[in-house]
Amino acid sequence: MNKRLLTGTGIALAAVLFGAFNMISSAALRSARFDLTDHKLYTLSDGTKNVLSTLAEPITLRFYLSKKLATGLPGIKGYATRVEEMLEEYAQVAGNQLVLQVMDPEPFSEEEDRAVAYGLQGVPLNNGSTQFYFGLAGTSSTDELEVVPFFQPEREEFLEYDLTKMIHTLANPKKKILGLISSLPIDGAGAMPMMQQGGGSPPWLIVTHIEQMFEIKKIEPTASTIPDDVSVLMIVHPKTLGDPTLYAIDQFVLHGGHAMIFVDPLAESDRSGGNPMNPMGGGAPRNSDLPKLFEAWGLEMVSGKVLGDLPLAKKVQIQKQARMQVIDYPVWIDFRQEHFSPDDIVTAQVPTITVASAGILQQKGTVGTELTPLIQSDEAAMKIDASRFSFMPDLGSILSSYKPEGEKMIVAVRVTGKVKSAFPDGKPKEPAKPADPNAPPTTESESESSQPHLAESKEPINVIVVADTDILQDKFWAQVQNFFGQRIGIPNSGNGTFVTNALDNLTGSNDLISVRSRAGYSRPFTLLRAMQQDAEQQFRQKEQALQERLKATEGKLQEMQSQQPDGNTMIMSAEQQEAMSAFRQDLVEVRKELRGVQHELGKNIESVESWVKFINIGLMPLLIGMVGVWMSSSRGRKKSA
């Protein structure tokens, strides 16, 4: 009796202690986190923590999730759980500066009306009778609004970047200023004289895209300073930049400014000094480079060479001997996703990028920078002399002499790391200019930069270099149509997405840029998949043999039926009727056997899946339990002995 009472008291006391421990730990260890996932899926990067720790004003995030409907969507439910847990981690790190509200918008409720008003996108389910919501609306103290209409599972790897970018944009809502230095008329200015007489040329379509995100400030190629309000610098085809302008760019980057630079060994869109009636004609050089700055940053563009990649070449029509022929043009290249960096947000989900007469970038020296290829060729690429395409290229000769070099060649690269100035002796002297009596007086702030000279960058630089300027030209990535006086571009390549992604990424802080992609949340059974493939391979061969036998039997039946006189299938001899009956019976047997094979295939796959799940989930607890029972029984036997 005493033993039973003692046992019952012990069990009750254990239950009380267990509940008390849970209550105390949930309160005292609320901020404790242990991320045991393989790729640290729930551990925020240092860049995200820095963005959250510097929030000056509170931000409210409203996470809308139709939880009841999510339970019927297994593929979405796991991802939704990860998003909610990630948002809770953000709120934990940011403290009072980030308010998280989780909403479950019921059909025809006020919460659903608010979700629609914020711009969230509902997915119709149950024949359109209900809407499934899985999005995020963020607001700042100044009523700025940023929205993720629907969390796409395809962007799972960039979940942290998307969330951090939203918070960073809400904390810094002012429209960013893009400084543009260009010797090409991408903004419509500086067109050829014939076009200027006809009212000028319109801006390139890429400028229209950029203007939706930035305020563009034109900077002359002769400028000696970069305005302090410029967030990101875009340099296109820098042909004749003097040392004062190069020094301004150098110091802008060293002081923490970000830049995207487009150089080219042969700019097909450069018409300066050429004959307007002959676009491929001669004239002034059409190459551009920044060797002085590039050397300080640890890279170079191969001089006088353009990239050729025959397997990726676009097909063009040419006239040869009074006939039109379609051939591969090796320097007009369509890059696909396998040629982009999958880990960089700039190129990770760009479908295609088209370049024309692009250059080749490579590392130079050991200055300590890291070069991350964003776009690179396959191993069938070749360096071709740019001079062979300057005037009336002989494509037959170029194609016949094409030889793959067996190495990947870089077209676009991200440069990061600490660097030294390309002007160690300080600001170069500006050449003397003749005095202009009509020019307004120059103020001290206009003639001198407000930033002191830096011999070395304090923080790692972040610059994207692209060895092609034609990537910006309309004809290589969009079809432009005139719709009632309005120019509308229909993209056929991802050039515009690549450029705007890069500029948008560069306008963020170094903390935001440092947030990279992560591994996916889904962790499939790779061993199970391999075993499934082996099982399928074994049964597919038998299934194929039965399919061929079925096809042959059906063919014999059709042949016998077609041999009847006057197409009358009712007039048949006894032998023919017996043969046809045998064929039909054989047909039924083959189809039955085929169904059996298909059923056996599914049964084997399910069996393999069940065994693998049992081994991964149930076997280890079972073994531990068996060991516990064995130890308990052996201890009891020892006491009895």
Side-chain angles (χ1 to χ4, degrees):
M1 192 71 178
N2 292 334
K3 288 183 178 180
R4 291 180 180 178
L5 180 62
L6 185 62
T7 301
T9 304
I11 293 174
L13 182 61
V16 171
L17 290 175
F18 180 75
F21 175 78
N22 280 329
M23 294 175 62
I24 296 172
S25 62
S26 63
L29 304 177
R30 189 176 183 84
S31 60
R33 294 291 189 274
F34 298 97
D35 189 352
L36 302 180
T37 57
D38 187 18
H39 297 286
K40 302 299 179 184
L41 297 177
Y42 300 97
T43 301
L44 301 183
S45 64
D46 293 336
T48 295
K49 293 179 180 178
N50 292 337
V51 170
L52 296 175
S53 64
T54 56
L55 292 177
E57 297 292 336
I59 290 174
T60 302
L61 298 181
R62 297 173 177 85
F63 177 50
Y64 287 88
L65 174 63
S66 304
K67 293 188 176 181
K68 293 181 180 178
L69 296 176
T71 56
L73 303 171
I76 294 292
K77 183 180 178 181
Y79 184 40
T81 302
R82 183 190 174 189
V83 173
E84 184 173 356
E85 291 176 347
M86 180 72 79
L87 289 171
E88 292 174 351
E89 188 70 16
Y90 272 68
Q92 175 70 28
V93 173
N96 296 331
Q97 296 299 89
L98 187 64
V99 179
L100 175 62
Q101 299 177 1
V102 180
M103 311 290 187
D104 186 358
E106 296 285 344
F108 309 107
S109 64
E110 293 184 0
E111 292 298 338
E112 184 180 26
D113 294 339
R114 292 193 190 99
V116 174
Y118 281 130
L120 268 66
Q121 177 184 349
V123 177
L125 298 178
N126 301 327
N127 297 324
S129 60
T130 56
Q131 297 285 326
F132 174 70
Y133 293 93
F134 181 30
L136 183 69
T139 55
S140 65
S141 58
T142 57
D143 294 332
E144 298 291 335
L145 175 65
E146 290 290 326
V147 177
V148 177
F150 192 90
F151 283 102
Q152 300 291 342
E154 293 80 8
R155 289 192 63 83
E156 179 184 0
E157 296 178 0
F158 303 100
L159 174 62
E160 184 183 2
Y161 178 85
D162 291 338
L163 296 177
T164 305
K165 181 178 180 294
M166 170 187 276
I167 295 172
H168 182 270
T169 303
L170 289 171
N172 303 273
K174 188 178 179 181
K175 196 172 185 178
K176 301 295 189 295
I177 296 178
L178 180 141
L180 176 62
I181 300 176
S182 176
S183 63
L184 296 176
I186 68 172
D187 59 346
M192 292 186 295
M194 294 179 61
M195 290 186 178
Q196 291 176 349
Q197 292 176 5
S201 60
W204 292 7
L205 192 62
I206 192 67
V207 174
T208 306
H209 278 240
I210 294 174
E211 286 177 337
Q212 297 175 4
M213 303 170 56
F214 304 95
E215 177 185 341
I216 298 179
K217 177 177 286 189
K218 183 70 179 291
I219 302 175
E220 295 299 326
T222 57
S224 58
T225 59
I226 305 298
D228 293 336
D229 58 352
V230 170
S231 300
V232 62
L233 191 61
M234 181 176 175
I235 304 172
V236 181
H237 204 40
K239 292 181 64 174
T240 57
L241 300 186
D243 280 351
T245 307
L246 294 176
Y247 175 78
I249 299 171
D250 173 87
Q251 291 298 298
F252 174 81
V253 172
L254 263 60
H255 278 92
H258 302 147
M260 187 173 190
I261 302 173
F262 297 84
V263 293
D264 205 321
L266 181 65
E268 299 185 17
S269 55
D270 185 0
R271 303 289 183 259
S272 61
N275 182 1
M277 304 305 295
N278 182 14
M280 296 301 293
R286 292 187 287 163
N287 65 299
S288 59
D289 199 357
L290 292 176
K292 194 166 189 176
L293 295 181
F294 286 174
E295 184 176 1
W297 300 343
L299 80 155
E300 66 176 349
M301 184 174 70
V302 179
S303 178
K305 300 290 185 179
V306 296
L307 175 68
D309 199 328
L310 201 55
L312 306 178
K314 291 182 74 70
K315 293 186 179 297
V316 298
Q317 280 189 340
I318 64 169
Q319 186 173 356
K320 189 174 182 181
Q321 298 178 353
R323 295 178 58 190
M324 297 300 297
Q325 295 184 0
V326 178
I327 64 170
D328 294 322
Y329 198 58
V331 296
W332 287 8
I333 303 172
D334 284 330
F335 289 113
R336 298 184 291 270
Q337 283 189 329
E338 58 265 30
H339 306 107
F340 307 145
S341 170
D343 301 322
D344 199 296
I345 190 68
V346 171
T347 54
Q349 293 188 335
V350 178
T352 59
I353 294 177
T354 302
V355 300
S357 306
I360 301 108
L361 300 170
Q362 62 187 18
Q363 185 175 1
K364 182 179 182 180
T366 55
V367 300
T369 53
E370 180 182 356
L371 304 184
T372 304
L374 299 179
I375 307 174
Q376 59 183 348
S377 69
D378 54 23
E379 296 180 351
M382 174 187 176
K383 302 184 187 75
I384 306 176
D385 290 336
S387 58
R388 302 182 70 176
F389 296 90
S390 297
F391 178 73
M392 300 298 290
D394 185 357
L395 294 182
S397 174
I398 293 172
L399 293 174
S400 62
S401 61
Y402 188 92
K403 294 181 180 179
E405 298 187 17
E407 62 175 313
K408 296 181 179 180
M409 302 181 190
I410 301 174
V411 174
V413 67
R414 186 191 288 269
V415 185
T416 55
K418 291 188 175 182
V419 298
K420 294 182 178 180
S421 173
F423 297 85
D425 298 330
K427 184 177 182 179
K429 294 183 178 180
E430 297 188 32
K433 298 179 181 179
D436 185 359
N438 299 322
T442 304
T443 63
E444 182 178 353
S445 61
E446 292 175 339
S447 60
E448 296 291 336
S449 172
S450 60
Q451 299 285 357
H453 171 77
L454 284 183
E456 185 176 356
S457 61
K458 295 181 180 179
E459 299 292 336
I461 69 169
N462 205 303
V463 176
I464 293 178
V465 180
V466 183
D468 186 40
T469 59
D470 300 302
I471 193 175
L472 305 173
Q473 199 174 359
D474 294 352
K475 71 176 184 179
F476 289 111
W477 69 278
Q479 181 181 358
V480 181
Q481 297 179 352
N482 193 312
F483 185 74
F484 294 103
Q486 184 179 4
R487 297 174 72 245
I488 298 177
I490 303 175
N492 49 41
S493 186
N495 297 21
T497 303
F498 164 67
V499 174
T500 52
N501 280 356
L503 293 174
D504 184 41
N505 178 253
L506 291 172
T507 52
S509 63
N510 287 332
D511 292 323
L512 178 60
I513 295 174
S514 68
V515 179
R516 298 297 179 91
S517 64
R518 291 169 173 261
Y521 178 82
S522 176
R523 299 292 302 278
F525 291 121
T526 54
L527 177 60
L528 173 62
R529 182 56 185 159
M531 296 176 71
Q532 284 179 335
Q533 291 175 347
D534 291 340
E536 288 177 1
Q537 184 65 23
Q538 294 174 8
F539 286 96
R540 292 301 178 206
Q541 296 177 356
K542 188 174 182 180
E543 183 183 30
Q544 185 178 1
L546 289 174
Q547 289 281 11
E548 293 176 355
R549 182 180 164 190
L550 177 63
K551 187 176 180 180
T553 303
E554 289 177 341
K556 291 178 180 178
L557 277 173
Q558 292 177 359
E559 181 182 357
M560 182 171 289
Q561 290 175 348
S562 64
Q563 293 176 353
Q564 302 308 314
D566 300 327
N568 190 349
T569 58
M570 299 299 295
I571 304 176
M572 298 178 63
S573 64
E575 295 179 355
Q576 288 177 331
Q577 290 180 1
E578 184 178 353
M580 182 167 286
S581 177
F583 279 135
R584 285 175 176 169
Q585 183 64 29
D586 191 20
L587 181 63
V588 171
E589 292 295 328
V590 170
R591 286 178 175 174
K592 182 178 179 181
E593 192 173 353
L594 184 58
R595 286 194 301 270
V597 168
Q598 292 172 341
H599 175 73
E600 190 69 19
L601 173 60
K603 185 178 178 181
N604 276 270
I605 292 176
E606 289 178 1
S607 175
V608 172
E609 184 176 353
S610 299
W611 271 106
V612 172
K613 286 183 177 180
F614 170 74
I615 293 172
N616 278 275
I617 299 172
L619 182 60
M620 189 55 65
L622 184 61
L623 290 176
I624 293 175
M626 293 173 63
V627 171
V629 171
W630 175 79
M631 291 179 63
S632 177
S633 61
S634 62
R635 185 178 299 176
R637 286 195 300 270
K638 288 181 180 179
K639 287 184 178 180
S640 300

